[in-house]
C-alpha cells in the first residue's frame, strides 16, 4: 500500500470499529489465491489493525498475496459472511475454475459467477443452467472451454 494511501487512511483508523462488540467478525477470501482477510486479525502489512471491518478497507484495495483480485472480487466467508468456510476438516475442495467463450473471449469465473444473469458467486460450471448464454455475445454454454 502506498504511503500516501496510508496517510489518507490514518483518520479512518484513529478510532477502530470493534466488530467484536457486536459479536460478528467476518472473513473474506480471494478467489484466485485463497488469501483470507480476517476482520479480527486485520492485516498489519497493509496498515489495517485488528478489528478493522471490511467496510473500512478501501474499495481499490487489492489482494496482498496475488495482487490480481480487487476488494469487490473477494468472497465473504462465515461467520458473518454469506458463504461457507474455505475448507472443512478432512474434505478437499476443488479450486474455482474459469471458462472462456471461444466466440468472443468472455471469461466465466466460478468464484464470481454472473449475478447479472442470475448465476450466484461460487456456482460451478456444471451447475450453470444449460440455457445460460454469454453476456457479451449471446453464445450458448457449449461455446465455452476451460480457461488456463
Amino acid at each position: 500500500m502506498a504511503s500516501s494511501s496510508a496517510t489518507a487512511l490514518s483518520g479512518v483508523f484513529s478510532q477502530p470499529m470493534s466488530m467484536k462488540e457486536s459479536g460478528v467478525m467476518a472473513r473474506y477470501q480471494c478467489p484466485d489465491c485463497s488469501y483470507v482477510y480476517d476482520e479480527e486479525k486485520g492485516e498489519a502489512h497493509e496498515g489495517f489493525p485488528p478489528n478493522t471491518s471490511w467496510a473500512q478497507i478501501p474499495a481499490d484495495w487489492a489482494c496482498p498475496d496475488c495482487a490480481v483480485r480487487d476488494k469487490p472480487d473477494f468472497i465473504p466467508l462465515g461467520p458473518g459472511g454469506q458463504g461457507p468456510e474455505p475448507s472443512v476438516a478432512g474434505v478437499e475442495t476443488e479450486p474455482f475454475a474459469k471458462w472462456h467463450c471461444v466466440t468472443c473471449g468472455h471469461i466465466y469465473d466460478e468464484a464470481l459467477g454472473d449475478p447479472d444473469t442470475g448465476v450466484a458467486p461460487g456456482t460451478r460450471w456444471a451447475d450453470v443452467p444449460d440455457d445460460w448464454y454469454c453476456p457479451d455475445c449471446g453464445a450458448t454454454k457449449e461455446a465455452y472451454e476451460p480457461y488456463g
Side-chain angles (χ1 to χ4, degrees), residues 27-104:
R27 299 169 2 126
Y28 299 84
Q29 184 177 32
C30 174
D32 273 5
C33 73
S34 299
Y35 164 83
V36 175
Y37 175 78
D38 186 330
E39 290 178 330
E40 185 172 8
K41 295 177 184 175
E43 182 59 61
H45 295 295
E46 294 288 306
F48 308 136
N51 299 319
T52 299
S53 72
W54 189 244
Q56 291 175 287
I57 305 296
D60 63 350
W61 179 77
C63 177
D65 281 1
C66 71
V68 172
R69 295 299 185 135
D70 294 326
K71 180 183 175 185
D73 297 332
F74 275 62
I75 301 167
L77 304 171
Q82 299 170 351
E85 288 292 332
S87 62
V88 177
V91 177
E92 292 293 323
T93 57
E94 190 69 26
F96 287 118
K98 295 178 183 177
W99 296 76
H100 80 281
C101 176
V102 296
T103 305
C104 73

Side-chain angles (χ1 to χ4, degrees), residues 5 9 19-20 34 37 49 56 69 75 80 92 107 116 125:
S5 295
L9 292 172
M19 296 300 287
K20 242 182 193 170
S34 299
Y37 175 78
Q56 291 175 287
R69 295 299 185 135
I75 301 167
E92 292 293 323
I107 296 176
D116 292 340
W125 185 247

